[in-house]
Amino acid sequence: MEKPKARVDQTKCLSCGGCISVCPMDAIIMYANKSFVEEEKCTGCGLCAEICPVGAIRMAKMEVIVNQ
Ligand code: SF4
Ligand code: SF4
């Protein structure tokens, strides 16, 4: 089963914090001035990708990995 998850391209991230404030799951954290998605919390709603002003977030389908 595949689920879309948000992925941040840290080379593009401007640390504006917009994705963090919009995420309903609190799935995004700021680390070393770049945002990271905690994939286990992400529901794939896509709001963060929509709001990011530089297109640093993409929704990627990936295998849901269990027990790894
Ligand atoms: S896709 Fe939705 S749940 Fe996942 S990190 Fe972005 S805003 Fe949060
Ligand atoms: S919205 Fe985009 S530029 Fe702003 S912190 Fe999130 S990933 Fe970085």
Side-chain angles (χ1 to χ4, degrees):
M1 184 175 171
E2 284 188 351
K3 240 181 159 181
K5 298 278 184 182
R7 275 281 176 92
V8 180
D9 180 345
Q10 276 86 23
T11 64
K12 293 183 182 170
C13 176
L14 301 177
S15 317
C16 71
C19 56
I20 293 174
S21 54
V22 81
C23 179
M25 302 304 294
D26 287 332
I28 310 178
I29 55 167
M30 195 64 78
Y31 178 75
N33 262 347
K34 302 290 175 184
S35 67
F36 285 83
V37 175
E38 297 184 280
E39 287 179 3
E40 67 278 5
K41 292 185 184 173
C42 174
T43 59
C45 72
L47 288 175
C48 56
E50 272 180 40
I51 204 170
C52 179
V54 291
I57 306 181
R58 304 178 110 191
M59 302 307 296
K61 283 193 174 175
M62 60 189 74
E63 294 290 326
V64 176
I65 300 167
V66 184
N67 295 332
Q68 193 169 321

